[in-house]
Structure formats: structure tokens, C-alpha cells
């Protein structure tokens, strides 16, 4: 079974600075998807960014980008120009392509604090 | 569009009571699922459904029942609530195509406390 590990329970960053959240995963599959979800205090799960394993190019979405290292099974999230609204729990998630399922395996999350 | 709607948002139960968490989506999504979120544990899959009449177990199915009689609805039933089921529950859906481009749409969550 796949596992997802987020080794940083908490992180903090100064407003306008850059922060990187770590995520590693374990799988024997060659094709899969990886996601970062944001959960603000409102509790709503919001997709931040996704990466398809067969694509070598790292995904980017405005101030959010990933560093996808397939061989190392690493999928870190970089937030540039951090804003107060970025404060939230961030979850890394893995999705297998086998079986046609939409099942996600989540990491335990990283709580990001943004200091003004 | 309302997206994924969960009710109730909050519920307090006594041990042994039963209840149903409702989930409805108006996006004609084939795939629906239930997750629970516990502190320090991330989200864990309870049950999922790939279409009306088809359900399957996830990682933590014990103590929960589901059914899928319509495309729109996917209720989660607790037959005899236990304190270990105190959690925040999320319903999520997607169109279910294998393209991989689909993203789960989550409901707002339901906080359940079992005393």
C-alpha cells in the first residue's frame, strides 16, 4: 500500500518570504498523481496544485510550485511571496491510477503559520 | 451550483446512538467518497462508490455503512456510535474518468462528537 509522509508538523514563514513544505511517498507504481491540498481554518479542502508522475516538468500555479523528484519519491511545495491568507494546514496526497479509483492517500499534514 | 453539500455541520451523539451523515452533489459525479479527519492523522478513506449501486470499503470502514441508490446521494451511517468515531467527516466527489485530470471536490465537513 502506498504511504505519504510529511515530516514537518509545523512550519512558519514571514510574510513575503518563501517557504518549502516537504512530502515523500512510497509506491511501486510508475504512473500516479500527486496533490497538495490546503485546509484553512474554515475546514474547506482546497486543491493547491497537482502533478502527473509521467510529466517531468514541475507544476506551477501562480505563487505555488512543486519540486517533483520521481526517483527520490519526493514532492515538495514551494510558496513564494507568502501571504497571510496562506496560513493553513497543507496536505500532500497520492492517487494511484490502477483500478480506475479516485482514492487519495493523504499525509498527516503541515501547519503553516505566516507571520506579518 | 452547490457542489458537494454535507449535513449536518455539527452533531453530538451519545455512545450507542445511530445517525446518518448526508452527502449530496449536483455535478453528476460518478465517484463519491467519505473521509474522516483526526488530529495528527490526515484524512483517511472510509467508504467510496464508483456509481449508483456500487460501494466499496476504504482504509477505515469498521463501524460505518454506506449505500448509493442515486447518483446524487451518498449517505454515511453510524449504526452504534462509539467515542472513537469522534472526528470530522468529509464527503468528496469527482467525475470518475480515469484520465487523472479529475480532482476531488470536497464538502465543507461535518464535525461529530460522540460522548
Amino acid at each position: 500500500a502506498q504511504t505519504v509522509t510529511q515530516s514537518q508538523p509545523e512550519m512558519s514563514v514571514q510574510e513575503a518570504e518563501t517557504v518549502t513544505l516537504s512530502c515523500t511517498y512510497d509506491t511501486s507504481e510508475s504512473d500516479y498523481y500527486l496533490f497538495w491540498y490546503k485546509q484553512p481554518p474554515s475546514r474547506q479542502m482546497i486543491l493547491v496544485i497537482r502533478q502527473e508522475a509521467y510529466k517531468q516538468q514541475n507544476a506551477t500555479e501562480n505563487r505555488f510550485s512543486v519540486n517533483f523528484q520521481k526517483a527520490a519519491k519526493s514532492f515538495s511545495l514551494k510558496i513564494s511571496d507568502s501571504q497571510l491568507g496562506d496560513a493553513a494546514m497543507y496536505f500532500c496526497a497520492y492517487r494511484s491510477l490502477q483500478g480506475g479509483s479516485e482514492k487519495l492517500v493523504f499525509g498527516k499534514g503541515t501547519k503553516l503559520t505566516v507571520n506579518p | 451550483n452547490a457542489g458537494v453539500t454535507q449535513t449536518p455541520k455539527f452533531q453530538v451523539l451519545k455512545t450507542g446512538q445511530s445517525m446518518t451523515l448526508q452527502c449530496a452533489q449536483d455535478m453528476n459525479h460518478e465517484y463519491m467518497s467519505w473521509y474522516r479527519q483526526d488530529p495528527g492523522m490526515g484524512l483517511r478513506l472510509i467508504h467510496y462508490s464508483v456509481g449508483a449501486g456500487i460501494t466499496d470499503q476504504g482504509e477505515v470502514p469498521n463501524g460505518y455503512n454506506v449505500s448509493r441508490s442515486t447518483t446524487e446521494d451518498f449517505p454515511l451511517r453510524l449504526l452504534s456510535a462509539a467515542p472513537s468515531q469522534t472526528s470530522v467527516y468529509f464527503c468528496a466527489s469527482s467525475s470518475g474518468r480515469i484520465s487523472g485530470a479529475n480532482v476531488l471536490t470536497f464538502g465543507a465537513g461535518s464535525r461529530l462528537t460522540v460522548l
Side-chain angles (χ1 to χ4, degrees):
Chain A
Q2 295 84 16
T3 58
V4 176
T5 301
Q6 293 179 248
S7 59
Q8 306 152 316
E10 297 187 22
M11 292 282 285
S12 64
V13 63
Q14 292 296 124
E15 197 175 3
E17 297 294 310
T18 296
V19 65
T20 298
L21 308 184
S22 300
C23 172
T24 59
Y25 57 94
D26 186 27
T27 184
S28 59
E29 300 172 347
S30 58
D31 287 331
Y32 46 87
Y33 285 83
L34 296 164
F35 303 86
W36 278 98
Y37 278 88
K38 170 185 178 181
Q39 187 181 44
S42 66
R43 208 168 60 194
Q44 183 70 48
M45 293 291 288
I46 303 166
L47 177 70
V48 175
I49 200 165
R50 63 185 175 211
Q51 175 78 42
E52 297 155 274
Y54 64 87
K55 289 187 176 180
Q56 293 185 343
Q57 186 174 5
N58 290 326
T60 62
E61 287 287 344
N62 299 317
R63 298 182 294 107
F64 299 87
S65 62
V66 298
N67 183 4
F68 174 50
Q69 301 289 331
K70 190 173 184 180
K73 298 180 182 176
S74 171
F75 183 60
S76 60
L77 175 69
K78 186 173 80 171
I79 306 174
S80 304
D81 187 25
S82 297
Q83 301 176 359
L84 294 177
D86 295 333
M89 284 290 292
Y90 286 82
F91 293 96
C92 179
Y94 173 101
R95 181 199 158 194
S96 170
L97 290 182
Q98 294 184 0
S101 171
E102 304 279 331
K103 292 186 286 185
L104 292 181
V105 177
F106 285 87
K108 295 183 178 181
T110 296
K111 182 180 181 181
L112 178 65
T113 300
V114 181
N115 300 309
Chain B
N1 285 343
V4 178
T5 302
Q6 290 183 232
T7 56
K9 286 185 168 49
F10 301 93
Q11 183 72 50
V12 179
L13 289 178
K14 294 181 179 179
T15 297
Q17 287 185 319
S18 63
M19 78 155 299
T20 299
L21 296 175
Q22 302 290 346
C23 177
Q25 51 89 11
D26 61 359
M27 299 170 283
N28 200 31
H29 282 172
E30 298 169 4
Y31 181 86
M32 297 185 74
S33 55
W34 278 102
Y35 288 84
R36 62 177 287 173
Q37 182 181 16
D38 301 297
M41 295 295 293
L43 280 76
R44 293 180 292 169
L45 182 64
I46 305 171
H47 284 285
Y48 66 97
S49 168
V50 298
I54 305 170
T55 63
D56 205 347
Q57 297 180 352
E59 180 185 356
V60 288
N62 292 341
Y64 307 96
N65 283 345
V66 293
S67 60
R68 184 94 179 271
S69 57
T70 67
T71 300
E72 295 78 18
D73 301 299
F74 190 46
L76 179 71
R77 299 181 183 87
L78 287 70
L79 298 180
S80 180
S84 61
Q85 294 178 304
T86 294
S87 188
V88 178
Y89 292 85
F90 287 94
C91 181
S93 73
S94 79
S95 65
R97 293 187 300 272
I98 303 179
S99 66
N102 302 299
V103 172
L104 284 178
T105 300
F106 284 84
S110 299
R111 179 178 293 278
L112 175 67
T113 301
V114 183
L115 303 176

